[in-house]
Amino acid sequence: MISNASVETRNIITIKGSVEIVSDFFFTAINSILYQRGIYQPETFKRESKYGLTVLTTTDPGLMSYLKNIMGQMETWLLHGNVQRLVVVVTGVDTGETLERWQFNVSVESNVEVSDSAGDENENSAGALNARRCSGEKYANSSLKGNKSLREIHSEIQAIIRQVTASVTFLPLLNEPCSFDLLVYTDMEAVVPKKWEDSDPRYIMNSQEVKLRSFTTSVHKVDSMVTYKEADEWDI
């Protein structure tokens, strides 16, 4: 739930408010993917109203606790400008194959207002995105702001969630029980808790890619896409 503190007067989106919006979108998108792709049983989800849509949210206590812990860490990294992308990996339990990768790339908009206290920008130390950003604590403590209404932002998010819902029309059937993993790409400056571990990117051989819509808070921009394993001829 987005608090009223997320938005200042005259539709000014603060860095903290933008982080809350992006984190809430990730939580909703992950739940939608898990429901639509049948990773969890449909009876373990409840219907809620969000973004002008009816969305599905897990009622499984273990999954809810896991996602809340992940989102809490994500908010910290987003606040410090460390997050480059979030990937939801769907894996076949029987084959161990990666079947789908739902990728959400995160960037900081280049036209946002940054106070002088934010300091100079540093190059992305990880080099994965070859982008420029405000570094570490300077980014978190800056008065980074954008000016976009929640109505506009929610309309853009709504379009992405609708695409996730419609994914069953173009993605191959998942013909085996599946599990999921969350991969978070950060820069080298991110402080990583000990319980987190490095992972390979879990790429898919012989894959197809569908680019989904993007949204921007006017502080952060999120681009989304899904990559999936092509169905074998005998599965079509």
Side-chain angles (χ1 to χ4, degrees):
M1 182 67 67
I2 303 300
S3 67
N4 292 332
S6 300
V7 185
E8 297 180 348
T9 58
R10 292 178 292 179
N11 293 330
I12 299 299
I13 304 292
T14 65
I15 174 60
K16 184 177 180 180
S18 180
V19 165
E20 289 181 9
I21 291 169
V22 173
S23 176
D24 192 62
F25 162 73
F26 283 155
F27 178 81
T28 303
I30 292 168
N31 272 276
S32 296
I33 292 167
L34 298 181
Y35 176 83
Q36 296 297 336
R37 304 308 289 146
I39 311 302
Y40 281 76
Q41 294 299 314
E43 60 267 22
T44 64
F45 291 83
K46 64 180 179 180
R47 296 181 181 274
E48 295 183 331
S49 179
K50 187 183 291 186
Y51 311 127
L53 293 172
T54 298
V55 300
L56 284 302
T57 303
T58 183
T59 59
D60 182 282
L63 178 58
M64 177 65 79
S65 176
Y66 171 72
L67 293 179
K68 284 189 173 182
N69 286 336
I70 296 292
M71 291 303 105
Q73 183 59 59
M74 282 285 291
E75 287 188 11
T76 298
W77 283 333
L78 282 165
L79 192 61
H80 290 80
N82 299 134
V83 177
Q84 297 173 342
R85 68 179 64 97
L86 169 71
V87 181
V88 182
V89 179
V90 177
T91 306
V93 172
D94 298 332
T95 62
E97 281 189 281
T98 299
L99 303 177
E100 295 174 5
R101 292 178 90 254
W102 297 79
Q103 181 169 309
F104 303 94
N105 295 334
V106 182
S107 59
V108 177
E109 294 282 52
S110 59
N111 60 341
V112 294
E113 173 191 342
V114 185
S115 72
D116 292 338
S117 62
D120 296 331
E121 291 183 335
N122 296 330
E123 287 201 12
N124 184 315
S125 56
L129 295 184
N130 194 27
R132 295 181 67 83
R133 59 167 185 79
C134 298
S135 63
E137 292 293 337
K138 294 180 181 179
Y139 178 59
N141 295 330
S142 72
S143 57
L144 196 63
K145 296 179 181 179
N147 53 353
K148 190 171 185 178
S149 71
L150 268 179
R151 183 186 296 273
E152 292 177 282
I153 297 169
H154 285 181
S155 178
E156 293 176 0
I157 291 176
Q158 181 188 101
I160 301 174
I161 300 301
R162 287 187 185 278
Q163 286 184 309
V164 173
T165 301
S167 65
V168 294
T169 64
F170 63 84
L171 291 176
L173 290 174
L174 298 175
N175 294 320
E176 61 178 304
C178 293
S179 62
F180 83 100
D181 289 301
L182 297 178
L183 308 183
V184 182
Y185 288 69
T186 67
D187 61 26
M188 298 299 292
E189 296 178 7
V191 178
V192 182
K194 291 182 178 179
K195 61 183 178 181
W196 288 68
E197 58 184 22
D198 290 336
S199 172
D200 65 81
R202 313 282 287 278
Y203 291 132
I204 303 173
M205 300 296 292
N206 302 319
S207 63
Q208 291 288 331
E209 180 181 293
V210 176
K211 185 173 176 58
L212 306 178
R213 292 181 180 270
S214 62
F215 82 90
T216 173
T217 66
S218 71
V219 175
H220 292 99
K221 182 179 182 182
V222 177
D223 294 300
S224 50
M225 67 185 70
V226 58
T227 305
Y228 59 93
K229 183 180 183 297
E230 286 189 298
D232 294 323
E233 290 185 6
W234 52 85
D235 290 333
I236 298 176

